[in-house]
Amino acid sequence: MNIEYTENIDEKYYKLIDDEFNKYAKKNEVVCNYKMFAFIAKDDEGNFLGIITGNTYYGEVHIEDLIVLEEYRKQHIGSRLINAVEEYYKGKEFENINLTTYGFQAPRFYEKCGFKIEFIRKNKKDSKLDKYYLVKYFES
């Protein structure tokens, strides 16, 4: 057996991962429903302002990345991207939206958006690298 490191994964491996997750979930009588998503914010001229990415699986919506270009921050673009995710998935049998962020990034921003901190994994060397786990439940 050889084990190789790569930073560029071929699309066929993403398909294989998806197939195997779904096969294992079905075997355990659980619906995986793994799907990637992205919402992109653009201005009226089509210029990129920001993006939110993530995936759905096991009845949850997981936010991976939220980026707003620095010159467009403090204009509610991030909260509008969060809201777009909420509106899109609301009423579609997902239980919650969850994410992680670091202390130096945006835990307070997500709290303002209605997320609750589930727990914080403390970094022993640098509190800016404390990792926050947050969740927001959809109303039944």
Side-chain angles (χ1 to χ4, degrees):
M1 173 173 66
N2 294 316
I3 298 175
E4 301 173 5
Y5 171 81
T6 185
E7 293 182 0
N8 299 307
I9 300 174
D10 188 285
E11 190 63 36
K12 70 181 178 184
Y13 293 115
Y14 285 116
K15 170 110 174 70
L16 183 120
I17 291 166
D18 186 43
D19 290 347
E20 288 299 313
F21 265 119
N22 281 301
K23 188 180 353 175
Y24 192 73
K26 186 174 182 178
K27 181 179 176 180
N28 287 281
E29 300 176 355
V30 175
V31 175
C32 181
N33 197 23
Y34 182 87
K35 291 189 176 100
M36 294 185 285
F37 68 81
F39 292 85
I40 301 167
K42 296 180 180 179
D43 67 13
D44 293 337
E45 288 81 43
N47 298 310
F48 177 86
L49 306 175
I51 187 169
I52 191 167
T53 66
N55 46 62
T56 60
Y57 51 85
Y58 305 119
E60 298 183 326
V61 178
H62 180 75
I63 294 173
E64 288 286 331
D65 295 301
L66 172 58
I67 303 294
V68 174
L69 295 180
E70 189 169 4
E71 60 268 29
Y72 298 108
R73 292 180 189 159
K74 307 285 187 205
Q75 297 178 33
H76 305 287
I77 295 166
S79 57
R80 289 175 64 191
L81 285 164
I82 293 280
N83 190 55
V85 172
E86 289 179 31
E87 289 301 313
Y88 184 84
Y89 288 106
K90 183 171 50 177
K92 294 186 178 176
E93 299 186 25
F94 291 96
E95 183 176 297
N96 66 66
I97 301 174
N98 60 73
L99 59 95
T100 61
T101 190
Y102 288 97
F104 79 95
Q105 289 176 322
R108 301 303 163 241
F109 163 76
Y110 290 113
E111 286 183 293
K112 287 179 186 175
C113 291
F115 287 80
K116 303 288 183 213
I117 296 172
E118 288 188 295
F119 65 94
I120 303 168
R121 181 185 306 138
K122 298 288 186 181
N123 183 288
K124 294 178 183 178
K125 295 180 183 176
D126 188 348
S127 64
K128 291 184 280 185
L129 298 178
D130 288 350
K131 191 169 188 177
Y132 289 72
Y133 292 76
L134 296 105
V135 66
K136 184 173 187 179
Y137 287 93
F138 289 108
E139 294 181 21
S140 303

